[in-house]
Amino acid sequence: MTAQGLLTLSCEDRPGIVAEVAGTLSREGANILEAQQFGDEETGRFFLRVVFAGDLSAVRGAFAPVAERFSMDWTVRDPSVPARVLILVSKFDHCLIDLLYRQRIGELKMDVVAIASNHPKDALAHSLADDVPFHHLPVTAATKEKQEAQIRTLIEETGAELVVLARYMQILSDEMAAYLAGRCINIHHSFLPGFKGARPYHQAHARGVKMIGATAHYVTGDLDEGPILAQDVEPITHADSPGALIAKGRDIERRVLARAVQAHLEGRAFLNGSKTVVFSD
Amino acid sequence: MTAQGLLTLSCEDRPGIVAEVAGTLSREGANILEAQQFGDEETGRFFLRVVFAGDLSAVRGAFAPVAERFSMDWTVRDPSVPARVLILVSKFDHCLIDLLYRQRIGELKMDVVAIASNHPKDALAHSLADDVPFHHLPVTAATKEKQEAQIRTLIEETGAELVVLARYMQILSDEMAAYLAGRCINIHHSFLPGFKGARPYHQAHARGVKMIGATAHYVTGDLDEGPILAQDVEPITHADSPGALIAKGRDIERRVLARAVQAHLEGRAFLNGSKTVVFSD
Amino acid sequence: MTAQGLLTLSCEDRPGIVAEVAGTLSREGANILEAQQFGDEETGRFFLRVVFAGDLSAVRGAFAPVAERFSMDWTVRDPSVPARVLILVSKFDHCLIDLLYRQRIGELKMDVVAIASNHPKDALAHSLADDVPFHHLPVTAATKEKQEAQIRTLIEETGAELVVLARYMQILSDEMAAYLAGRCINIHHSFLPGFKGARPYHQAHARGVKMIGATAHYVTGDLDEGPILAQDVEPITHADSPGALIAKGRDIERRVLARAVQAHLEGRAFLNGSKTVVFSD
Amino acid sequence: MTAQGLLTLSCEDRPGIVAEVAGTLSREGANILEAQQFGDEETGRFFLRVVFAGDLSAVRGAFAPVAERFSMDWTVRDPSVPARVLILVSKFDHCLIDLLYRQRIGELKMDVVAIASNHPKDALAHSLADDVPFHHLPVTAATKEKQEAQIRTLIEETGAELVVLARYMQILSDEMAAYLAGRCINIHHSFLPGFKGARPYHQAHARGVKMIGATAHYVTGDLDEGPILAQDVEPITHADSPGALIAKGRDIERRVLARAVQAHLEGRAFLNGSKTVVFSD
């Protein structure tokens, strides 16, 4: 069986891109298996994702001058190689456990290189499998700078390509957020832009909404304003207490975060200014 | 077949209410067919809806002293008698047409006693059936007071018990909102509390959310802050233009508004401070 | 503004199709605005839909030899030209009214050239606008052959490209189904393959399912086995009577049928053996 | 704080039941906190669930003669006492892990007294916490009778009140199914009644449906015909392979099974002939 490659690119939209890309692949004997594209009329930006059967090195080599000519942001990579992922968590571990489980059964193609938490390991509800290194990195207002430096070191030492905030209840400094831009996904436990800030389920209960939701987004300086990757909701009623909303919310959070992480890992998610392009799976 | 009655009540919660109500009905030979109740721990308020088979006058008479004792807000009525409804609309008539159609096939038990619009009848996309009186009540900033007085007159002359703002794109004056409090339902074309104010679909597009929604609520002075009756959403993608959002939104708006109006007509909706209690159908 | 064209094709899958198509369009100065593709590994069939800005005649001319070479089923057409549609209906007109309304506000790009029913016009709940010709074509077991011949004549005289069975409660003869194959969409009021045959909501009630649905499909000889275009469901409870299911079902039916008709009209739906390929909107 | 009690009952429907129950509770000084009821017009059966604050023994004592008079099936119990649950599983452990996690964080009020599988413990993807006894009970056609006897012994020794088939891929004998009737919940990986039998996701793929689902039901002799407790679905497309359906299905299965188990544990689920009554949470 021929090797598979994944080509993703974005560039200024102009005529002939698809012809050029498809022609290049064809000349290298690569066959297109999947292709998804989007041209954003507002930003004038074009996005393309292609899965092909063919020789990666050959395609990469042939594609470089094309990419140069169109000033593309691009990657050609082997989609079967799992990405290295660091997961940050606080006390609530439903998203963490869910991500680990999906990784184990092969649903999420990633290597979880480390888990870090501002709480000790035994604060988690679930007894973790021992094969993922766990780092307890406590944090206070006074030690935030130092703790974030520890996280950076962890990222660099593990070679983590993606950082997932799986209900990590700390606000990142602007510097840290900037450092992580484009490679860090957060789950916010509300249907943004409704109920920004703290205790969103209590806010939702107080407002009397009839549905609650969760939002996964790329991290930027402004925590609740990052480009949205995935959202979902569930109906609630007047009879749901804040505690019931939190319980229902857990289900939404874990599936929304998993969906966003999967889109990122599969090269289906692109930053597009303050928004995203997310091709369907 | 025995006549059916609908009893709805709310009062301060305290022990023995259900026993008292059920006992009263039983003594009058009335049989409970459906019953739904809710005690709000926060507000200490109790809500009850009972459908019974039995004699309305007898139940009403026997129930009066009970209601007096518990300081209840209550009604006993014949659920087969349709409510009188006034619909206000501007140019977009998808909600209007939907409500009229549901009334015709018996889904909504109401008499539409009049339709009023700030635009002439031929501004509507759909040619209306001729049997519902249409009132063209144009409005400008200068004539708002006078126009709202015309609406009041219309409500009083037609005996309208419920006013539905079916995409009526005018902001009501505080006086008018207060006048209509508890008997006027509006459809807002966003998933509140996100995207209050004008052009919510454009706001949603600019923010890059992955779902859009609509919200039906009782009208209060603050148009986007009224007690919410029903909400729903649909998924969207990066490829949806504002125009596509508006088209998808039409489907959500009409089903959310219909659901809210139906809950009101069937005595399943109660005001509970700034929130609502809506028993399921 | 440059004219837009819509190219749809299917053919045996093999390397180089996208490169060939994109290259041809590029050489004719046409710019790809949208493109969706799918290769079915099981059937070995490839499907492509391209919206382009460019000259239709030039593209059509240049594309013909390509299509010949790859043995493609293909069309190049102007997506702004509405398709001619015949709607068949019986007594229940919720789908009919919904389709007509969506056409009027521009959501469905079609010309409804005629409506035909086995019941007289006044059997419909809604008073129809007068501008669509209505044909009363009563049918009995004895006259079915003759009545279907009348429908054929109607299709031929009106040049209808698509026939929509909008709750047309008659079973077509095999000959008629074959005649309409690939250009006729039916709405079945169940979530197929559950509850085939008559009175599906009563079947669903008897079985005690917790969700009901509707299915839009292309018509083939076996009415409940046609290739599925769209499906949707809604939750129900033990308290829903068959009548309540029918009422809830109306909402599902009309949105599912509208979605299927829209996919067909926009060239997003392809037959793929006993299944379909439906590109997202 | 006063103790809470949970009263559930079903009986032949007749006038005065609610008055009698509410009066009895009131006379014992118990206050109704929640009440849900349903009278099935077809079967003539009445179902009631009441959560009350009050003395359990006193209520139980006072209620016995009432229950006698109305020939009620009834229980009065302390809802804070977790039920004893046995989980049966084969190789796929996503439902098992999900149930255990929900138990740990308090979402499901149950004691998992044992896990049994026809595969050894290391066949599971997830390393289980050590605190739940795991029983490897291999089975072949020849040993089925003996293995089911082992399961019965396990149920009796652990005092399990509920048995959950969490993707237990074995067909129970008629005797075993009868033995477990009304206290055993199975998750079937299709949207019943569609795709009964083996490999339902492959069946769904072959049929070309646009949504897949899962069904949780009480076990009866006919495995795919048991009274349905909960169902849910998700949209799929032509591009989803059987493997993709299986992956999407896992999410549906675990939430549907958890919902059904929760309804049972909370006394919200009742058998009603071949159907169920499930009061909302």
Side-chain angles (χ1 to χ4, degrees):
Chain A
M1 187 193 151
T2 322
Q4 289 201 4
L6 173 63
L7 163 68
T8 58
L9 67 87
S10 71
C11 62
E12 196 185 323
D13 201 358
R14 57 192 235 217
I17 300 173
V18 176
E20 192 67 38
V21 172
T24 303
L25 287 167
S26 185
R27 279 188 298 275
E28 297 302 320
N31 190 25
I32 295 178
L33 301 174
E34 289 178 46
Q36 290 162 296
Q37 63 170 85
F38 176 62
D40 188 328
E41 286 183 29
E42 282 173 33
T43 63
R45 201 88 192 146
F46 177 82
F47 303 85
L48 181 65
R49 177 185 185 270
V50 175
V51 180
F52 60 87
D55 183 84
L56 259 76
S57 304
V59 166
R60 201 180 279 118
F63 199 73
V66 176
E68 175 82 23
R69 188 145 29 96
F70 285 85
S71 302
M72 291 169 171
D73 290 332
W74 67 292
T75 60
V76 170
R77 64 177 177 87
D78 180 347
S80 70
V81 175
R84 299 173 70 77
V85 176
L86 168 68
I87 302 180
L88 296 184
V89 69
S90 289
K91 273 191 205 169
F92 302 120
D93 61 357
H94 52 283
C95 287
L96 169 66
I97 299 304
D98 188 65
L99 292 173
L100 290 176
Y101 185 76
R102 290 179 196 267
Q103 181 272 325
R104 260 176 228 217
I105 61 173
E107 215 174 284
L108 293 179
K109 279 228 161 39
M110 62 180 180
D111 278 345
V112 181
V113 292
I115 297 163
S117 174
N118 54 324
H119 292 282
K121 190 171 180 178
D122 58 15
L124 299 176
H126 202 80
S127 63
L128 281 178
D130 286 338
D131 52 351
V132 181
F134 182 93
H135 302 263
H136 178 206
L137 303 177
V139 64
T140 65
T143 64
K144 190 181 202 97
E145 195 176 333
K146 184 179 144 229
Q147 192 245 18
E148 291 191 341
Q150 291 174 311
I151 297 174
R152 282 191 196 218
T153 302
L154 194 55
I155 293 169
E156 279 150 28
E157 285 178 2
T158 57
E161 297 152 279
L162 176 68
V163 176
V164 178
L165 309 186
R167 296 298 309 269
Y168 178 64
M169 310 295 282
Q170 298 296 313
I171 294 172
L172 303 181
S173 69
D174 289 353
E175 293 72 28
M176 191 66 181
Y179 170 72
L180 291 171
R183 51 175 178 151
C184 180
I185 295 173
N186 181 50
I187 180 75
H188 188 270
H189 45 313
S190 92
F191 192 76
L192 292 174
F195 311 129
K196 297 176 190 176
R199 293 172 40 105
Y201 292 123
H202 288 79
Q203 290 184 53
H205 182 258
R207 178 61 185 92
V209 290
K210 298 300 184 190
M211 302 188 98
I212 54 164
T215 304
H217 60 88
Y218 280 123
V219 166
T220 57
D222 191 343
L223 193 58
D224 298 342
E225 298 290 344
I228 294 172
L229 284 157
Q231 300 189 289
D232 208 353
V233 296
E234 284 194 13
I236 58 167
T237 78
H238 56 268
D240 284 305
S241 64
L245 300 193
I246 288 169
K248 290 189 174 179
R250 278 193 292 263
D251 271 25
I252 316 174
E253 292 161 32
R254 60 185 199 172
R255 72 171 178 261
V256 166
L257 180 57
R259 208 186 300 158
V261 169
Q262 189 166 29
H264 180 92
L265 293 173
E266 296 176 359
R268 293 187 284 101
F270 298 75
L271 273 168
N272 181 22
S274 65
K275 305 203 278 184
T276 64
V277 170
V278 180
F279 291 125
S280 65
D281 61 355
Chain B
M1 186 192 153
T2 321
Q4 291 201 2
L6 172 63
L7 163 67
T8 58
L9 66 87
S10 70
C11 63
E12 196 186 323
D13 201 358
R14 57 192 235 214
I17 301 174
V18 175
E20 193 66 39
V21 172
T24 304
L25 288 167
S26 186
R27 279 187 297 277
E28 296 302 320
N31 190 25
I32 295 178
L33 302 174
E34 290 178 44
Q36 291 162 295
Q37 62 171 84
F38 176 63
D40 188 329
E41 287 183 30
E42 283 173 32
T43 63
R45 201 88 192 145
F46 177 82
F47 303 85
L48 182 66
R49 175 184 186 270
V50 176
V51 180
F52 60 88
D55 184 84
L56 260 76
S57 303
V59 167
R60 199 181 280 119
F63 199 72
V66 177
E68 175 83 22
R69 188 146 29 94
F70 285 85
S71 301
M72 291 170 171
D73 290 331
W74 67 291
T75 61
V76 170
R77 64 177 176 85
D78 180 347
S80 72
V81 175
R84 299 173 69 77
V85 176
L86 168 66
I87 302 179
L88 296 184
V89 68
S90 289
K91 274 191 205 169
F92 302 119
D93 61 356
H94 51 284
C95 287
L96 169 66
I97 299 304
D98 188 65
L99 292 172
L100 291 176
Y101 184 75
R102 290 179 196 268
Q103 181 274 324
R104 260 176 230 213
I105 61 174
E107 214 174 285
L108 294 178
K109 279 227 162 35
M110 63 180 180
D111 277 345
V112 182
V113 292
I115 297 162
S117 172
N118 55 323
H119 292 282
K121 190 172 180 177
D122 58 14
L124 299 176
H126 203 80
S127 62
L128 284 176
D130 286 339
D131 52 352
V132 181
F134 182 95
H135 301 262
H136 178 206
L137 304 177
V139 63
T140 63
T143 63
K144 188 179 203 101
E145 195 176 333
K146 185 181 142 226
Q147 193 246 18
E148 290 189 342
Q150 291 175 313
I151 297 174
R152 283 192 196 217
T153 303
L154 193 55
I155 293 169
E156 279 150 28
E157 286 178 0
T158 58
E161 296 151 279
L162 175 68
V163 176
V164 178
L165 308 186
R167 296 297 307 273
Y168 178 64
M169 310 295 282
Q170 298 296 312
I171 295 171
L172 303 181
S173 69
D174 290 352
E175 293 72 29
M176 191 66 182
Y179 170 74
L180 292 170
R183 53 175 174 150
C184 179
I185 295 173
N186 181 48
I187 179 76
H188 188 270
H189 44 314
S190 92
F191 191 71
L192 291 175
F195 312 127
K196 297 175 190 176
R199 293 175 38 109
Y201 292 124
H202 289 79
Q203 290 183 55
H205 183 258
R207 179 61 185 89
V209 291
K210 298 300 185 189
M211 300 187 101
I212 54 164
T215 304
H217 60 88
Y218 279 123
V219 167
T220 57
D222 191 342
L223 192 58
D224 298 342
E225 298 290 342
I228 294 173
L229 285 157
Q231 298 189 291
D232 207 352
V233 297
E234 284 195 10
I236 57 167
T237 77
H238 55 267
D240 283 306
S241 64
L245 301 192
I246 288 168
K248 290 189 174 179
R250 277 193 292 262
D251 270 24
I252 315 174
E253 292 161 31
R254 60 186 198 171
R255 74 172 177 258
V256 167
L257 181 57
R259 208 185 299 157
V261 168
Q262 190 167 27
H264 180 93
L265 293 174
E266 296 177 359
R268 293 186 284 102
F270 298 75
L271 272 169
N272 181 22
S274 64
K275 304 202 279 185
T276 64
V277 171
V278 180
F279 292 125
S280 64
D281 60 354
Chain C
M1 186 192 155
T2 322
Q4 290 200 3
L6 171 64
L7 164 67
T8 57
L9 66 88
S10 70
C11 62
E12 197 186 322
D13 201 357
R14 56 191 235 218
I17 301 173
V18 176
E20 192 67 39
V21 172
T24 304
L25 288 167
S26 186
R27 278 188 297 277
E28 296 303 319
N31 191 25
I32 295 177
L33 301 174
E34 290 177 43
Q36 290 161 295
Q37 61 170 88
F38 176 63
D40 188 327
E41 287 183 28
E42 282 173 33
T43 61
R45 201 87 192 145
F46 177 82
F47 303 85
L48 181 66
R49 177 186 185 268
V50 176
V51 180
F52 60 87
D55 183 84
L56 259 77
S57 303
V59 166
R60 198 179 281 119
F63 198 73
V66 176
E68 174 83 21
R69 190 145 28 95
F70 286 84
S71 302
M72 291 169 171
D73 289 332
W74 68 290
T75 61
V76 171
R77 65 177 177 85
D78 179 347
S80 71
V81 175
R84 299 173 70 77
V85 176
L86 167 68
I87 303 180
L88 297 184
V89 68
S90 290
K91 273 191 204 168
F92 302 120
D93 61 356
H94 51 284
C95 287
L96 169 67
I97 299 304
D98 187 65
L99 292 173
L100 291 176
Y101 185 75
R102 290 180 196 268
Q103 181 274 326
R104 260 175 229 216
I105 62 174
E107 216 173 284
L108 293 178
K109 279 228 160 38
M110 62 180 181
D111 278 345
V112 181
V113 291
I115 297 163
S117 174
N118 54 324
H119 292 281
K121 190 172 181 178
D122 58 15
L124 300 176
H126 203 80
S127 63
L128 283 177
D130 286 338
D131 52 353
V132 181
F134 182 94
H135 302 264
H136 178 205
L137 304 177
V139 64
T140 65
T143 64
K144 189 181 202 99
E145 194 177 331
K146 185 182 143 223
Q147 193 246 19
E148 291 191 342
Q150 290 174 314
I151 297 174
R152 282 192 195 217
T153 302
L154 194 55
I155 292 170
E156 278 150 30
E157 285 178 1
T158 58
E161 297 152 278
L162 176 68
V163 176
V164 179
L165 309 186
R167 297 297 309 271
Y168 178 64
M169 311 294 281
Q170 298 297 312
I171 295 173
L172 303 181
S173 68
D174 290 351
E175 294 71 30
M176 192 65 182
Y179 171 73
L180 291 171
R183 52 174 176 152
C184 179
I185 296 173
N186 181 49
I187 180 76
H188 189 271
H189 44 313
S190 94
F191 191 71
L192 291 174
F195 311 128
K196 298 175 189 175
R199 293 174 39 109
Y201 292 123
H202 289 78
Q203 290 185 53
H205 182 259
R207 178 62 185 88
V209 291
K210 298 300 184 189
M211 302 188 99
I212 52 164
T215 304
H217 59 88
Y218 280 122
V219 167
T220 57
D222 191 343
L223 193 58
D224 298 343
E225 297 291 342
I228 294 173
L229 285 156
Q231 298 188 291
D232 207 352
V233 297
E234 283 195 11
I236 58 167
T237 78
H238 55 268
D240 284 304
S241 64
L245 300 193
I246 289 168
K248 290 189 176 180
R250 278 193 292 262
D251 270 25
I252 315 175
E253 292 161 32
R254 60 186 198 172
R255 73 172 179 259
V256 167
L257 181 57
R259 208 186 300 157
V261 169
Q262 190 166 28
H264 181 93
L265 294 174
E266 295 176 0
R268 292 187 284 101
F270 298 75
L271 273 168
N272 181 22
S274 64
K275 305 203 280 185
T276 65
V277 170
V278 180
F279 291 125
S280 65
D281 61 354
Chain D
M1 186 193 152
T2 322
Q4 289 201 4
L6 172 63
L7 164 68
T8 56
L9 67 87
S10 69
C11 63
E12 196 186 323
D13 201 359
R14 55 192 236 216
I17 301 173
V18 175
E20 192 67 38
V21 172
T24 303
L25 288 166
S26 186
R27 279 189 297 276
E28 297 302 320
N31 191 23
I32 295 177
L33 301 174
E34 289 177 46
Q36 290 161 295
Q37 63 171 85
F38 175 63
D40 188 329
E41 287 183 28
E42 282 173 33
T43 63
R45 200 88 192 144
F46 177 82
F47 303 85
L48 181 66
R49 177 186 186 268
V50 175
V51 180
F52 60 87
D55 183 86
L56 258 76
S57 303
V59 167
R60 200 180 279 120
F63 200 72
V66 177
E68 176 82 21
R69 187 146 29 96
F70 286 85
S71 303
M72 291 171 172
D73 290 331
W74 67 291
T75 62
V76 170
R77 64 177 178 86
D78 180 347
S80 71
V81 175
R84 299 173 70 77
V85 176
L86 168 67
I87 302 180
L88 296 184
V89 68
S90 289
K91 274 192 203 166
F92 302 121
D93 61 357
H94 52 283
C95 287
L96 169 67
I97 299 303
D98 188 65
L99 292 173
L100 291 175
Y101 185 76
R102 291 180 196 268
Q103 182 272 328
R104 260 175 228 216
I105 61 174
E107 215 174 284
L108 293 178
K109 279 227 161 37
M110 62 180 180
D111 278 345
V112 181
V113 292
I115 297 163
S117 175
N118 54 323
H119 292 281
K121 190 171 181 178
D122 57 15
L124 300 175
H126 202 79
S127 60
L128 282 177
D130 286 338
D131 52 351
V132 182
F134 182 95
H135 302 264
H136 178 204
L137 304 176
V139 64
T140 63
T143 64
K144 187 177 202 103
E145 195 175 333
K146 184 180 143 227
Q147 193 246 19
E148 290 190 342
Q150 291 174 313
I151 298 174
R152 281 191 197 218
T153 302
L154 193 56
I155 292 169
E156 277 149 29
E157 284 178 0
T158 58
E161 297 152 279
L162 176 68
V163 176
V164 179
L165 308 187
R167 295 299 306 272
Y168 178 64
M169 310 295 282
Q170 297 297 312
I171 294 172
L172 304 180
S173 68
D174 289 353
E175 294 72 28
M176 190 67 183
Y179 171 73
L180 292 171
R183 51 174 177 151
C184 179
I185 296 173
N186 181 50
I187 180 75
H188 188 271
H189 44 314
S190 91
F191 192 76
L192 291 174
F195 311 127
K196 299 175 189 175
R199 294 174 37 107
Y201 292 124
H202 289 78
Q203 290 184 53
H205 183 259
R207 179 61 185 91
V209 291
K210 299 301 184 188
M211 302 188 99
I212 54 164
T215 304
H217 60 88
Y218 280 123
V219 167
T220 57
D222 190 343
L223 192 60
D224 299 342
E225 297 291 342
I228 294 173
L229 285 156
Q231 299 189 288
D232 207 353
V233 297
E234 283 195 11
I236 58 166
T237 78
H238 56 268
D240 283 305
S241 64
L245 300 193
I246 288 168
K248 290 189 174 177
R250 278 193 292 263
D251 270 25
I252 315 174
E253 292 161 31
R254 60 186 199 171
R255 72 171 179 262
V256 167
L257 180 57
R259 208 185 300 156
V261 169
Q262 189 166 30
H264 180 92
L265 294 173
E266 295 176 0
R268 293 187 284 100
F270 298 75
L271 273 169
N272 182 22
S274 63
K275 306 203 277 185
T276 64
V277 170
V278 181
F279 292 127
S280 64
D281 60 356

